[in-house]
Amino acid sequence: MRFETRAIHAGLDSANAARAIVPPVYHSTIYELNEAGKQDDELLYSRLDNPNRRQWEALAASLEGGAAAAAFASGIAAAAAVLQALEPGDHVIFPEDLYSGHRMMITGLMNRWKLETSFTDATNPDAVRAAIRPNTRLIWMETPSNPMLRITDIAAVCELARSRGLLSCVDNTWPTPVNQLPLALGADLVMHSSTKYFGGHSDTLGGLVIAREDGELMERIRFIQRLGGAVPSPQDCWMLARSTRTLAYRMKGHNEHGMMLARFLDTHPAVEAVYYPGLESHPGYGVAARQMQHFGGMISFLVKGDAPLALKVVSGSELIKRATSLGGVESSWEHRLSTEGEGSKTPGNLIRFSVGLEHPEDLKEDLNRALSVI
Ligand SMILES: *Cc1c(COP(=O)(O)O)cnc(C)c1O
């Protein structure tokens, strides 16, 4: 079955009493035990498992082409679970340009628990190879990266990881499985903030880990999910599954508008540079064109001016909301340096733009209005 069909039918369990096509939300935290003290469907207690989480995980695993998925309460909880599955003293290689919240989690939490980490230029597989140490266990990728939209060659880095007996994990939040399938390119794990495009309406937090094979590593991640306890509620799983039914069609719009507005900004006199992997001028274009089906709805760009001017631009729009996060039906943007704060290497004149599903001509008018302060 093809992606659009799986997105609508995978994980749909109509084995409920009323044969409802849309499955109910199972709010119950507990399930009746049989006389032997067990539960026939191995449902016991909602933190450990529940029907809505099962359905959501089955859907997510199907769309990424994985053998198993584990759902979490947020993207950052999913990323933490992957790292907690390693041992103290293990070393992990991260890309230099990484979602800033993830970097804070690593340095403020994981390093304190003796995980060793280094950050390298992931656009260059040789730099990644040079960062490998005897205790390296995992290579982490995020491509396109946040917020610079740098591109990592997933197949090349996964091949490197495999040849050295290392695990590989790709944060696939920005491209989604509509645009990029890391497991098919050789990755062991995919991680998601389902808060973004899966949720798609800026109203639900969630995270996912999806594994190519359901073995010891995934067992460990499920253990952390259940005993660490950062699980999504049944209602959240239901919401995320509901939104994901339309993911393929929302992504068509995000991809089309992203490409259109990246070209528009690229020729705009108030714009100094545009970072979008679908532009032929992007240094990662060749790799992106090979490993991505489409280029997504995220654009970063530099305005001709300084940080105060960039802040003025993001305050000058009427449609585009001034907000962090991304992937909603509504367009939003932010002065990324203000969000990332101290220690950030993001340029002061960079604006990160999540292109929504409004009519692109209305968005162009809004961009012209906001950029007119320059
Ligand atoms: C938002 C985001 C995360 C973190 O996910 P939360 O759901 O906010 O915890 C991780 N990676 C990327 C690329 C993101 O955009």
Side-chain angles (χ1 to χ4, degrees):
M1 262 192 292
R2 290 160 186 83
F3 190 98
E4 291 83 348
T5 313
R6 276 181 285 133
I8 290 167
H9 292 282
L12 251 196
D13 184 6
S14 53
N16 52 78
R19 307 291 302 163
I21 298 298
V22 177
V25 184
Y26 291 85
H27 288 291
S28 184
T29 55
I30 48 177
Y31 293 85
E32 191 172 30
L33 304 174
N34 63 24
E35 281 155 17
K38 302 283 183 203
Q39 220 270 346
D40 298 333
D41 301 321
E42 290 174 41
L43 289 167
L44 184 74
Y45 183 52
S46 198
R47 167 160 53 74
L48 304 178
D49 206 356
N50 62 69
N52 294 106
R53 198 162 93 206
R54 276 188 186 172
Q55 291 166 27
W56 167 225
E57 288 173 343
L59 172 58
S62 169
L63 297 187
E64 282 287 355
F72 290 85
S74 67
I76 206 75
V82 172
L83 301 179
Q84 286 171 326
L86 306 177
E87 298 296 324
D90 282 349
H91 173 246
V92 183
I93 299 170
F94 289 97
E96 240 163 18
D97 193 45
L98 180 79
Y99 162 57
S100 62
H102 192 180
R103 188 189 276 263
M104 285 195 291
M105 180 266 280
I106 294 160
T107 53
L109 182 63
M110 293 303 164
N111 290 348
R112 293 184 62 230
W113 286 82
K114 303 285 180 267
L115 195 73
E116 288 180 29
T117 50
S118 46
F119 296 87
T120 59
D121 174 10
T123 63
N124 176 6
D126 290 333
V128 178
R129 180 180 295 109
I132 297 175
R133 303 177 189 169
N135 59 337
T136 303
R137 274 282 284 152
L138 170 69
I139 303 177
W140 190 281
M141 285 162 267
E142 183 183 300
T143 177
S145 67
N146 179 358
M148 299 301 290
L149 290 115
R150 296 200 180 121
I151 299 296
T152 299
D153 186 333
I154 297 174
V157 173
C158 289
E159 178 55 36
L160 167 67
R162 201 190 345 265
S163 74
R164 304 290 286 266
L166 310 177
L167 297 169
S168 52
C169 180
V170 178
D171 182 339
N172 207 33
T173 300
W174 282 26
T176 82
V178 174
N179 289 339
Q180 181 169 281
L181 290 165
L183 301 179
L185 294 165
D188 297 304
L189 297 174
V190 162
M191 176 242 129
H192 273 284
S193 166
S194 42
T195 314
K196 314 295 168 53
Y197 289 105
F198 277 114
H201 298 73
S202 310
D203 56 9
T204 314
L205 282 174
L208 289 163
V209 178
I210 301 150
R212 188 152 43 85
E213 287 167 20
D214 193 1
E216 210 177 304
L217 176 65
M218 199 54 191
E219 260 323 307
R220 185 84 205 133
I221 288 166
R222 262 196 298 264
F223 179 90
I224 294 160
Q225 176 199 35
R226 291 166 178 169
L227 281 302
V231 290
S233 70
Q235 176 76 35
D236 287 348
C237 294
W238 187 94
M239 292 272 283
L240 289 164
R242 179 200 207 268
S243 291
T244 300
R245 304 296 175 203
T246 57
L247 178 67
Y249 295 93
R250 284 186 286 109
M251 288 315 294
K252 269 186 212 236
H254 288 296
N255 289 332
E256 188 185 305
H257 299 181
M259 194 72 229
M260 227 182 253
L261 295 188
R263 289 202 199 287
F264 175 78
L265 287 167
D266 202 33
T267 56
H268 199 287
V271 172
E272 187 180 298
V274 178
Y275 304 120
Y276 185 75
L279 295 177
E280 290 82 349
S281 56
H282 188 290
Y285 173 77
V287 174
R290 253 201 332 272
Q291 71 188 14
M292 300 180 78
Q293 277 69 52
H294 303 278
F295 302 103
M298 290 302 296
I299 302 172
S300 286
F301 64 99
L302 306 181
V303 295
K304 284 187 182 153
D306 53 8
L309 199 59
L311 273 163
K312 239 188 190 162
V313 170
V314 294
S315 297
S317 57
E318 282 175 12
L319 279 177
I320 307 168
K321 303 294 182 203
R322 200 168 62 232
T324 193
S325 196
L326 58 116
V329 291
E330 69 289 327
S331 291
S332 63
W333 62 4
E334 65 179 333
H335 178 243
R336 189 63 189 165
L337 181 61
S338 298
T339 303
E340 292 183 351
E342 220 169 303
S344 164
K345 287 187 189 143
T346 298
N349 58 341
L350 182 138
I351 293 171
R352 199 188 79 177
F353 181 18
S354 171
V355 181
L357 300 180
E358 301 92 344
H359 196 289
E361 292 305 319
D362 290 331
L363 291 175
K364 281 184 194 171
E365 283 170 26
D366 207 30
L367 285 172
N368 273 335
R369 179 165 31 229
L371 286 164
S372 69
V373 298
I374 296 181

